[in-house]
Each structure stands twice: as structure tokens, then as C-alpha cells.
Amino acid sequence: MKISYNWLKQFIKIDWDAEKTGELLTDLGLEVEGIESYQSVKGGLEGVVIGHVLTCEQHSNADKLKVTTVDIGGDAPVQIVCGAPNVAKGQKVPVATIGTTLYTDEGEAWTIKKGKIRGEESHGMICAEDELGLGKSHDGIMILDADLVPGTPAADVFEIENDQVFEIGLTPNRADAMSHLGTARDLRAGLMQQDIIPELITPSNSSFKIENRLNKVDVSIIDGERAPRYAGVVISGLKVAESPAWIQHRLKAIGLTPINNIVDVTNYVLHELGQPLHAFDLAKIKGNKIEVKTVEKGTKFTTLDGVERELHEEDLMICDEEKPMCIAGVFGGEHSGVTEGTTAIFLESAYFNPVSIRKTAKRHGLNTDASFRFERGIDPNITDYALMRAAVLLLEVAGGEITSEIVDIYPKKIEDQQVFLSFENATKLIGEELPREKIKAILSSLDIKINNVTESGLGMTIPAYRNDVTREADVIEEVLRVYGYNNINFGNKLNATIANSSKFEDHKVQDVVANQLVAQGFYEIMANSLTTPSYVEYSELLNTENNVTMLNPLGQELSILRRSMLFSGLEAISYNNNRKHADLKFFEYGKTYHSYDSGTVENKHLAIFVTGNRHTEHWKHTSETTDFFYLKGMVQSVLDRLGITRGRTATVKNDVFAEAVGIQLGKTKLVEYGLIKKSILKKFNLSQDVYYADFNWDNILEVAKRNKIKFQPIPKYPSVRRDFALLLDSATRFEEIHTIAKQTEKQLLKDIQLFDVYEGKNLPEGKKSYAVSFLLQDEHKTLTDKQIDKVMNKLQFRFEKELGASLR
């Protein structure tokens, strides 16, 4: 945001230099990121003086040149060769002396030097308007007032505007400071802390006068929620022309290009008071009727930039009897704006719902000075004041008269906020006890009204334009920033307490698992928690009723909080696939968000994604495609690392997985993992299989905390391996073998592995062969053949009896 120092001084009288004022503004929270110089004429006409043409003779070697002698206030006149057709003896003219730097329209600098023109010496240059940057005319040199004294600096004659412009990095919450008036209010509060008591000078509207009421415009607010206040007035007999120099200087200083006196006044008041305004050509308002409402979805509307836009059903529009004329608070329409032929306008001043304006501006990709302010929240109580201020200025610069009553529809006043400040809490947050009178003085300097004072605190009324001050903590922050952060004393003693932290703190456990996954070739991703509502439609497990919707979204594609970790992961895989990275292993810690009747719920998850080949291509080994069992191994390794070795496995069926299983401990779900359905992958333009595991991290953490880690020495005695080749029914699962074996021998049997599966030739129909290894070990002595045979016989008996197995 740019703030003109000269403009600021119209509100508050101050003789400080710009650097000192900038330091105070920064201390107040309006961080000055830079100070630039502005001159209404580049170079400030430095080196240009008033000259008196004493003689003017025809050049001996050029028909179009004249040789003049000019008094420029020095010891002797100088000779200047001039090609202007209107130069003559006795004129007072602007002269650029030797060494003066002038600038072209493009800003290119060139310096006046002593030289010879067709044999005659020339010691300067008699200038035209455009050569000095004072106008666009190049018909001849400027002829000045005959009473001017030779040698007078031209800058004194033409009243060059010199200004300093603050570039303020305004935070989004400080909507109240988005104007010169708002900045002046803060500056006044800062000066009062330095025992300087300046007056805040606000523009007077005393000359506002309604001449007649011949041009009534009927205004109706159909959508009062989006337009809490709407005001307007008709001004007739205007003449559209260039703005006077003083308005142009103010606008140019802050980087705006003057357009015409009508538009320039609306921009001037916008940056002066922070109230956006809009002028409609009265002749283009059909039926002399204004309706503030939304229109049908898909309605076509052409904005001032000539772009035809398709309106949304939630876009607030300013309409006449027949058609939309303006996107409220954002951008005007092509067919209702002010033109050179405009003689009467309807001037609008309003307060629109900030959320509505922000959604509309983002929806159409528009960012205007008006929308910038409306979407952050302007002062709802200066709507009529700003309207009258603009009307007074328009009468001054464009003529005309006010020909209607002010229409001001404000059915439900936006009330000021009531807040109580506890002195005790103020001391706690500030870290130092400020004098109570000092606190009251600071609040008063910020236009915060103190209603009552007690021993414990203050009851206050916060003005409506301070929409960022709604709580006690906000008020304390206001006191602190005006008092000065640098003025708070700090002791030399540092106190600290030692926290009793658990090894199962979330971030510690996350680091343990993350390090393991990284060691296994995974990359961590971090996706945005904001996502598009369309993803909810991909699964019947999700429904729109449980969405957590953003009140003020950046756009439709980021309008809800994510309900599943799956879709953001698929976005990352699709992004990488499109860039020729097909072999991917990702993991992400994140939250999902759900809204229920009982309240809003956040669930933390660990998501794992694998797709493509297990390893990158290499000449020493063949590529091996990722499959379900690879993902199963990754899931099991995570659980093992956390000491979660128990759990029941069951098949999972839903519309996300093509095939999947889940692990749970009792009724506590720990993880679901499997292959994602092709129909979902297709929506992300993915053709290769993607395997996905979703850990309920909150449950994982709780189970891990309950596990007691036991340490035991490595056994001194050797282990023994025995294998069975079992002929089984095709429907038999390895899990059944594992369960029976563990039940049969609980002490000596340490591990069971399936190392080969065979089906087909040489086997009876409906049969398959499992090659299973059994690892036996006694931790206290060496096993004998007799003991080993006994265990294997028991296992064989159980397999034959319960599974109908036989040894091959």
C-alpha cells in the first residue's frame, strides 16, 4: 500500500522528515518497507530558470533557426540558438541552462551541453511544454508572464509537487489502515505517546447541498445479507474532463493513472477515506431503478476491461430494471460506466459482505482496489460521509448540482464490539505492568471508547471499523503496539522449567517411523489440507454433509478440508507420472477433517503409497513390480517397529479398494491397505496400479503407548530349521497353518515362513503345495533330535487332522 506524505499531512500536521515518520509507523505495526521520492515533473525542473529574450535574429546558415540573446539572471546574457517558430524579442521564457538534465516521455535522460549549431554557439535551450514535462504541446516554446524576473527558478513558478511516498507492508487484518485517514489515525496515536498532541483533520462536507430532487432513483436491496448497507445520490450537469493538477498529483504519487475528473474523484476518496465508490451514467440506468441482488447462474456480463464473464449464482450484482450493470464491490460493467458524453451520474457508496466479495473476486480472477478493501472489511459507518465527500469534490472539479436525496438503506446497523479488558491479563500478556492511566490514554487515542472503569479492568466499545479487535487479547495487542514493543523492559534472569516428556510423544514416534520408511526408499510428501469438494463424490464412504467448508475460500478447488488422505497422494503420483517418474514410494503424515452433528472432528493418519517397480532399473537385477505383498511387508515393518505384534486381520470391502485387508486390535482399527480401484485411478489419469495403506495414527499411538518393551539377551544356543511340503486344499490359507502351528508349540517354535507355493501339473485337482519352514530354538539348552522330531510330529498330526494336509 502506498501512502503519500503530503496527502497524510492534510489529515495531521507534522513537520518530521519522512524517515522519522516512517520509523514511527513501523513501530506502530504499519511496516514501512521503503520510501520513494515523487516529483510531478521528473527532475523537478532543476537547472531551468526564467529567461528574458533580449534579441532575436535570423540564423545566417539556417532558415528555420533564430539566434537569441537571453538574460537568465547572470552577469551577462547568453546566446541560445532556437528553432521554435514563435520565439521573439521581449518574451519571458523557460531556459534549460548548461548541465540541466531533461527527460523524454519514456523517462530517458539527456543533458544540455554547450555546443555549436550551424556555426553559432548555443549556451542552453529555450523549452517547450513537452520538453519540460509540463504538458504535451510541442507547437513552440512556452511564453510566460511578462512580470517574471529573469533568473527565477522555474520550479518556483510552476509549483512542482515534491512528495515522499511510503510503501507500507500492510497485514490483512488491518483493514482500518487501508487509507490515508486510517494511517493518520495510527500516526496520531503514536505521536501522542511522544507527548505530541496533534489534531486529526477530516474533510468537511459542510458545502454539501441538495439543489433539487428531480432525478429520483429507486433503490431496493433484495439480498440484504450480501449488501448490509447501500447508499447513492444523483449529480447532474457534470462535465467530464481532465482532473485538476492537485488531484492528478495525489493519484500519480501513489501509482495511479488519472482517467477523468469523475473516475479520479472516486479513486481519490477511496484512498483518502478507504470507502470504495462507483459512478453509473444516469442515462444508462433503465427505469431509474437500482436492484442489489444475485442473478441466474450462467448469465453473461461484460466488465469494463471488455471481457465477457459468466456469472455465478452467488455473485452480488448491481442491476437496473433490465440487466446487471456492475459486479458489486469488484468491477464495473462496460455499458454503464462514465464516458466523455456523460452529464449525470448516480454515485454509489456501499458496505458489502466481505466473504461474498472475496469469493466473487477469486471466482473471476479479479483483484481491484475496491475488492481489496471490501473483502477485508471497511468501515460500515462512513458510507454516507464518504458519499457526500465525493459529491462535494465532484461539484468542485466537474461542476453540476446534486439533484436527488441521498438514498441510504441500512436496515440493520452493524454494532460496535463490546470488550472487557482485565488489567491482570494485560500485565501477563505484556510482561510488564503499564500504568492504568497510560492504558486508558492509548485506548482513547485509538478511538476506543471507555465506558466504565473498575479496579479489575475496563469496559470498552470498539469502533466497527476495527473488525480485527474483537477479544481482550486483541485490545492488549493494540495497547502494546502503540506503547512500543521496544519500550518493554526485559530482565537479565531467564527462568525455564524442565518438561517431563514421554518417549511416545507424537513427533518422536513420527520421526522413528519416518526414518525407517526413508531408509526403505520412501519419500515424504506434504499435501495441502485444503482440497476440492469433487473428491468427496469419488467414494460412497464420504458425503457432502460431513464436509468442513471454508467460509472464505481462495477458490472452489480449495474450498473444503480434506476428508481422505488418498486423493492428495494420488495428485502427487499423477504429477510425478506426468514428469516420467513412474516408480514411486511416498508417505505422508496428515489430518482429515469431518463435520458431524456432535461437532467437528480431526483424525490423524499415516498414508503410504507405492506404485511402479520396487527398485530402479539396473543391469544386475531384473525389475520387480510392486504388489500387494510388498505393501503388506511395509505395513508390517511399521507395526513391528512400534512393537505392535498382535492384531486381527480381516478383509476390507469398500468402493476405494479393489482388494484390501485391515488390521485391528479388538475394536480398535489400526490400518487398512490394498490396491486402489481402476475407476478412481482413471480420474487422476493413472494407468498403473497404486497400492495404498491408511494408518489411523491416533489409534496407533494409543496402542503403542500401552505396549511394554521387554529386553532379553540373545540366545546362546543354536536354532534348528525343519521344512514341510504340505499338500492342501486350494482354499486353505497360510494364516491357518500359522495359527495352528503357534497353538501347537508355543515355547520352542520361534518363526514360521512360507517359502514356496505350487499349483498345477502333477498335483490333484483342487490341491496346492505349500513349502513351509519352521524355526525351533530352546533358549536354555541345545535341542536334541528327539525333541525336534516330537514337535514336528505334533505339527504334522494337527495339519492332517484339521486341514486335511498330507506330506509330499
Side-chain angles (χ1 to χ4, degrees), residues 119-370:
E120 295 287 349
E121 288 190 358
S122 184
H123 297 266
M125 175 180 169
I126 303 175
C127 301
E129 275 188 7
D130 63 336
E131 291 165 336
L132 296 177
L134 295 172
K136 298 180 180 179
S137 174
H138 194 68
D139 296 335
I141 60 169
M142 295 183 71
I143 309 301
L144 306 178
D145 191 333
D147 295 333
L148 294 175
V149 178
T152 303
D156 295 344
V157 176
F158 295 105
E159 298 181 354
I160 303 302
E161 176 90 1
N162 292 294
D163 199 356
Q164 299 289 100
V165 180
F166 301 111
E167 181 67 46
I168 295 179
L170 196 67
T171 52
N173 64 305
R174 291 302 308 277
D176 64 292
M178 289 189 292
S179 65
H180 286 76
L181 172 61
T183 303
R185 279 193 301 244
D186 260 22
L187 183 58
R188 178 190 61 173
L191 290 171
M192 291 176 70
Q193 292 308 301
Q194 303 195 25
D195 297 325
I196 301 171
I197 313 298
E199 179 186 0
L200 186 65
I201 305 167
T202 54
S204 172
N205 290 335
S206 59
S207 60
F208 180 86
K209 181 182 178 183
I210 300 173
E211 297 293 339
N212 61 65
R213 295 166 175 80
L214 299 177
N215 291 309
K216 181 182 179 183
V217 175
D218 293 323
V219 177
S220 60
I221 300 179
I222 297 174
D223 193 332
E225 183 180 347
R226 290 183 173 88
R229 187 175 190 183
Y230 190 89
V233 71
V234 176
I235 305 174
S236 304
L238 298 166
K239 183 178 180 181
V240 178
E242 279 193 356
S243 297
W246 65 272
I247 285 186
Q248 293 197 39
H249 292 334
R250 290 287 179 263
L251 297 180
K252 287 178 179 178
I254 60 174
L256 298 182
T257 301
I259 299 172
N260 59 53
N261 49 4
I262 310 301
V263 176
D264 291 349
V265 164
T266 61
N267 284 331
Y268 185 91
V269 175
L270 166 69
H271 290 276
E272 179 184 51
L273 304 178
Q275 172 66 55
L277 304 164
H278 189 73
F280 297 94
D281 189 327
L282 184 65
K284 298 174 183 176
I285 302 177
K286 299 298 181 183
N288 273 14
K289 186 174 183 180
I290 295 284
E291 291 184 344
V292 186
K293 62 181 182 179
T294 56
V295 296
E296 187 177 346
K297 182 178 182 180
T299 301
K300 305 293 184 182
F301 180 72
T302 304
T303 46
L304 277 172
D305 55 1
V307 177
E308 185 180 74
R309 304 178 189 276
E310 189 171 298
L311 299 178
H312 190 270
E313 68 269 19
E314 293 183 358
D315 292 338
L316 186 67
M317 304 297 295
I318 310 300
C319 307
D320 63 13
E321 193 173 53
E322 299 178 357
K323 64 188 182 305
M325 299 188 297
C326 174
I327 302 178
V330 181
F331 214 17
E334 185 178 45
H335 304 298
S336 63
V338 173
T339 64
E340 291 182 358
T342 299
T343 59
I345 63 169
F346 177 77
L347 185 63
E348 166 196 281
S349 178
Y351 176 86
F352 298 121
N353 182 286
V355 174
S356 172
I357 298 301
R358 180 169 177 80
K359 286 182 177 180
T360 296
K362 293 299 180 183
R363 195 178 291 127
H364 295 289
L366 293 169
N367 183 22
T368 62
D369 283 339

Side-chain angles (χ1 to χ4, degrees), residues 649-683:
T649 302
T651 302
V652 172
K653 292 184 179 181
N654 59 45
D655 59 352
V656 170
F657 291 110
E659 54 183 26
V661 297
I663 300 175
Q664 62 185 62
L665 195 61
K667 294 183 179 181
T668 303
K669 292 183 179 180
L670 302 180
V671 59
E672 293 181 349
Y673 59 94
L675 173 65
I676 301 301
K677 281 188 173 180
K678 294 286 187 184
S679 58
I680 291 180
L681 298 180
K682 187 176 180 180
K683 297 180 185 297

Side-chain angles (χ1 to χ4, degrees), residues 514 517-518 522-525 585-589 606-608:
L517 290 171
V518 168
F522 281 78
Y523 288 91
E524 183 172 9
I525 61 174
K585 291 188 279 189
F586 290 154
F587 73 95
E588 180 186 8
Y589 289 103
L606 165 63
I608 293 179

Side-chain angles (χ1 to χ4, degrees), residues 602-702:
E602 296 181 12
N603 295 321
K604 192 158 190 177
H605 299 260
L606 165 63
I608 293 179
F609 300 86
V610 291
T611 184
N613 295 322
R614 298 188 186 187
H615 308 287
T616 55
E617 293 180 336
H618 195 274
W619 66 273
K620 290 190 71 175
H621 57 76
T622 58
S623 297
E624 189 176 357
T625 306
T626 299
D627 57 17
F628 176 85
F629 297 102
Y630 178 75
L631 177 65
K632 178 183 178 182
M634 294 298 105
V635 170
Q636 197 59 53
S637 70
V638 170
L639 297 177
D640 290 345
R641 182 65 183 85
L642 298 175
I644 304 174
T645 56
R646 296 174 295 121
R648 181 173 59 85
T649 302
T651 302
V652 172
K653 292 184 179 181
N654 59 45
D655 59 352
V656 170
F657 291 110
E659 54 183 26
V661 297
I663 300 175
Q664 62 185 62
L665 195 61
K667 294 183 179 181
T668 303
K669 292 183 179 180
L670 302 180
V671 59
E672 293 181 349
Y673 59 94
L675 173 65
I676 301 301
K677 281 188 173 180
K678 294 286 187 184
S679 58
I680 291 180
L681 298 180
K682 187 176 180 180
K683 297 180 185 297
F684 293 87
N685 297 317
L686 294 172
S687 57
Q688 65 189 44
D689 289 343
V690 176
Y691 295 89
Y692 167 61
D694 181 18
F695 290 83
N696 187 318
W697 191 252
D698 294 319
N699 290 345
I700 291 285
L701 213 57
E702 284 301 314

Side-chain angles (χ1 to χ4, degrees), residues 35 58 65 73 79 209 300 309 370 400 409 459 494 536 541 562 569 651 663 681 720-722 728 763:
I35 303 176
Q58 183 65 44
L65 297 178
Q79 179 173 296
K209 181 182 178 183
K300 305 293 184 182
R309 304 178 189 276
I409 303 176
L494 178 64
V536 176
L541 298 176
R562 65 179 171 186
T651 302
I663 300 175
L681 298 180
V720 175
R721 170 175 163 169
R722 292 288 186 269
L728 301 155
L763 289 184

